[in-house]
Amino acid sequence: MAFDASTYEMWVPWLNGGTLVVAPAGHLDAAAYEALIAEHGITALWLTAGLFRVMAEEVPEAFAGVREVWAGVMWLRRRRYAGSWTVARTSPS
């Protein structure tokens, strides 16, 4: 993990009273990430754009209790609309 990424991913949750959850080593499929999110009550995620796409397609219900999702270089805030979530804001390109 690069220094800048580890600084953000670890210190922001800690400095805001959160808990850092690290996924176990090895390959995890979308269902395993869904279980990890539910087991730990995760409310904010940092995902690669590819992993976000896979989870959104395969297990969109995994995001039910998640308030913020950061994917790739885009910042996404979960919004309820007709029982689903939508992207409310992205960072400028």
Side-chain angles (χ1 to χ4, degrees):
M1 183 183 305
F3 176 77
D4 60 341
S6 66
T7 298
Y8 182 83
E9 291 173 348
M10 293 186 319
W11 285 102
V12 169
W14 288 337
L15 292 174
N16 287 287
T19 301
L20 183 67
V21 177
V22 179
H27 175 75
L28 298 176
D29 62 9
Y33 279 108
E34 178 183 22
L36 192 67
I37 292 166
E39 176 184 348
H40 293 282
I42 294 172
T43 59
L45 295 169
W46 179 284
L47 305 171
T48 63
L51 179 56
F52 172 77
R53 181 189 56 77
V54 168
M55 290 189 64
E57 290 174 359
E58 294 183 15
V59 289
E61 60 277 5
F63 298 112
V66 178
R67 291 191 304 256
E68 289 187 0
V69 177
W70 291 65
V73 297
M74 294 175 28
W75 178 80
L76 312 169
R77 182 175 288 277
R78 182 181 169 277
R79 297 280 187 205
R80 298 294 287 170
Y81 181 76
S84 63
W85 57 269
T86 59
V87 175
R89 176 179 169 209
T90 61
S91 63
S93 301

